[in-house]
Amino acid sequence: MLPYSTIYIFIFVFVWIDHLNTQLPCDIAKFPHGHACQCIDDYCDTITPLGTLPFGQAALYESTSENAGTHRLTRLTNLSFRKEIDPNISTVIQINDKTKYQTIIGFGGAFTDASSIVAHGLSVNLQKILLAQYFGEQGINYNIGRIPMAGCDFSTYTYTYDSVANDFELQHFSIEMDLSIKIPFIQSAITMSNETIYFFGSPWNGPDWLKNQSNPVGTLNGVPGDKYHKTWARYFSKFIEAYEAEGISIWGITTQNEYSQVKDFDGLFYTTEQLADFIRIDLGPELRSKHPSVKIMTYDDDMVLLFLKIDRMIQRNRTIDQYIDGIAVHWYATEDMTFPDFYELFLTKLEYPEFFYLPTEACEGYMKINKGPRLGMWKRGIHYALSIIGDLLVGASGWTDWNIVLDLQGGPNHIRNFVDSPIIANTSSGTVFYKNPMYYAMGHFSKFIPRNSIRLGMKVLKQEKQHARIEPLKIVSFLTPMKQMVIVALNHDRTTTQSVQILDSNQGYLTLALLPESIQTIVYDVAS
């Protein structure tokens, strides 16, 4: 017989392990627009880990509005495969594991000055909890981070890394302004994560002495190939080298944030032809020579007329091809899903399949009619899920959110361009932050679709006609490097539950019941 001390140790270990595998539920905070999950120093909801899945069963995670119980990435009872089709279910979809599409790069958000400042305003312990929500094991496993190269609208003032006039050798280039808050915040995320975070830099403003005032924000002086353009290209190299000296490896860059439309805040304006020539003559050769492994993503703008602009850029001089790895896109024209531009991305990828396509910025609350945070607004999470699935289905290799945390006003922002964020923090008290529905919508993808997963084809075997103007059911599937199948399903109908069966030819049928405006992620081991 075991001594009592040994028995107590076994009981303690069992309870401790059980605690690690038990989901801490959402601590609901009610707001005028809906429910958010609040986190404080000693409590924050978590996500139940997958653990070992019995063969023939699938893990099910669900998020719903407060009208259906405020599930937030809640682990439900495992689903079981059945051999027979259910004749009462109107939609049957088969996974086609022989048809493979794009490979996933990752999911993440942006380390703006605003996010760094807001996080810094929380207690030390709550800062760690916030980062763990994004990068920790019990969080949603972000593995992409966007870094503005110097100031942007989500900074407290306008700045660049070299304000000394005519410093064409960039001898005064310095990231000193990033060293106190932003870089330590990024370094903490790296420490928190169990995988490599792909960081990419995006420029907003350039030094005034490199610009002319041909429009309100200016464009580069001179013409591609001259000292102004060569210096701006070296500025990118300096950024990469300075950040890498701080232990932050730069995976990629975008060539300019919103190059064709910026009018009223920090930025540089290009015509499509000007940007193409700068890449081909200056930036491409600079980075391929000094930083050959860094990915170059061009465009970094809304998808309106994406195909036309990329076609003009590439066809202007095909020698540019060697300097472009990917096409970066923003979501803003598709935010309310009234006129989605997924077809633009589809057409561009169809014509130029040699590039990867990565959404690099998105947020809610940017339009005047619903400006800033709307704590708990479930519709904003649904919009995120719609956009992510829509982009993935036409070839996107991931999805990048905008600010990872903002304050209650949706800032700070030096031009008062306030928006919403998946996490909103109360910086007045420094003791609480709120996880919006957008956070959980992101998690349905980022948590379960790791880097190098491959999107699979799906075939509709049976589908009754819907009376709705827009097909309410959206589904996408992936095969992960760990040989697991991941299916994300969204029902964006506001009133009707959608029932669907998913057929895996090797295992049988899974039956899903998606409540109105709900998201589900299903994970199971692939049959060997």
Side-chain angles (χ1 to χ4, degrees), residues 12 20 23 27 52 54 111 168 186 195-196 215 236 243 252 255 285 292 307 322 330 338 363 395 403 438 494 502 517:
F12 172 78
L20 290 179
Q23 181 164 18
D27 181 12
T52 301
F111 289 87
F168 291 102
I186 295 170
E195 62 177 306
T196 300
N215 69 20
F236 283 73
Y243 262 72
T255 52
F307 174 75
Q322 63 189 304
H330 295 185
T338 303
C363 71
N403 303 272
M438 295 172 290
R494 295 181 179 179
I502 306 292
E517 293 195 309

Side-chain angles (χ1 to χ4, degrees), residues 232-242 283 286-287 290-291:
W232 183 232
R234 286 197 298 273
Y235 188 100
F236 283 73
S237 281
K238 288 279 193 179
F239 163 77
I240 293 167
E241 291 156 9
L283 183 62
E286 167 74 19
L287 294 185
K290 294 183 180 175
H291 304 284

Side-chain angles (χ1 to χ4, degrees), residues 465-485:
K465 261 192 172 182
Q466 298 280 346
H467 297 294
R469 182 174 65 89
I470 299 175
E471 169 58 49
L473 190 64
K474 304 294 182 184
I475 301 181
V476 65
S477 62
F478 293 87
L479 179 64
T480 76
M482 292 77 73
K483 303 302 179 186
Q484 289 185 318
M485 192 70 68

Side-chain angles (χ1 to χ4, degrees), residues 40-201:
I40 57 178
D41 267 322
D42 57 4
Y43 189 89
C44 195
D45 58 295
T46 59
I47 303 167
T48 303
L50 272 173
T52 301
L53 294 172
F55 185 73
Q57 293 187 16
L60 172 62
Y61 293 81
E62 181 180 72
S63 293
T64 63
S65 72
E66 54 270 19
N67 298 325
T70 315
H71 283 170
R72 296 291 189 263
L73 274 170
T74 303
R75 177 80 178 264
L76 303 182
T77 304
N78 285 356
L79 301 173
S80 295
F81 283 94
R82 54 184 294 176
K83 295 301 180 185
E84 302 297 328
I85 193 171
D86 185 338
N88 298 314
I89 292 181
S90 59
T91 301
V92 181
I93 297 175
Q94 181 178 14
I95 295 172
N96 182 358
D97 57 5
K98 300 294 189 292
T99 302
K100 297 180 179 179
Y101 296 101
Q102 76 272 22
T103 299
I104 291 299
I105 294 170
F107 300 87
F111 289 87
T112 58
D113 288 331
S115 290
S116 307
I117 292 166
V118 169
H120 191 69
L122 299 173
S123 69
V124 173
N125 187 50
L126 205 52
Q127 290 179 47
K128 294 177 182 176
I129 293 172
L130 187 149
L131 279 174
Q133 297 307 299
Y134 282 118
F135 299 97
E137 273 298 293
Q138 290 187 304
I140 58 175
N141 296 107
Y142 271 15
N143 58 9
I144 281 183
R146 189 185 191 202
I147 304 173
M149 292 166 53
C152 67
D153 49 328
F154 281 91
S155 301
T156 55
Y157 64 103
T158 298
Y159 69 93
T160 70
Y161 292 137
D162 193 337
S163 60
V164 177
N166 301 318
D167 181 21
F168 291 102
E169 299 301 318
L170 296 177
Q171 294 178 347
H172 299 280
F173 182 98
S174 173
I175 61 167
E176 181 180 359
M177 57 285 293
D178 294 353
L179 292 174
S180 60
I181 297 178
K182 185 161 80 170
I183 284 178
F185 190 46
I186 295 170
Q187 291 168 335
S188 295
I190 294 171
T191 302
M192 184 76 66
S193 178
N194 286 333
E195 62 177 306
T196 300
I197 302 172
Y198 281 3
F199 292 103
F200 67 91

Side-chain angles (χ1 to χ4, degrees), residues 392-466:
L392 292 173
L393 286 175
V394 294
S397 289
W399 214 79
T400 316
D401 188 34
W402 192 202
N403 303 272
I404 63 176
V405 61
L406 292 173
D407 63 22
L408 291 171
Q409 192 175 21
N413 184 292
H414 73 90
I415 62 163
R416 301 185 66 79
N417 182 32
F418 303 122
V419 300
D420 210 343
S421 173
I423 295 181
I424 296 292
N426 185 334
T427 52
S428 296
S429 69
T431 60
V432 62
F433 64 78
Y434 305 100
K435 293 159 68 178
N436 269 320
M438 295 172 290
Y439 169 88
Y440 298 94
M442 284 292 297
H444 273 277
F445 302 87
S446 62
K447 177 71 175 176
F448 304 102
I449 307 172
R451 182 171 296 137
N452 295 322
S453 296
I454 298 172
R455 183 170 73 86
L456 301 180
M458 302 189 82
K459 178 182 179 183
V460 177
L461 300 181
K462 177 185 176 184
Q463 187 173 45
E464 291 183 4
K465 261 192 172 182
Q466 298 280 346

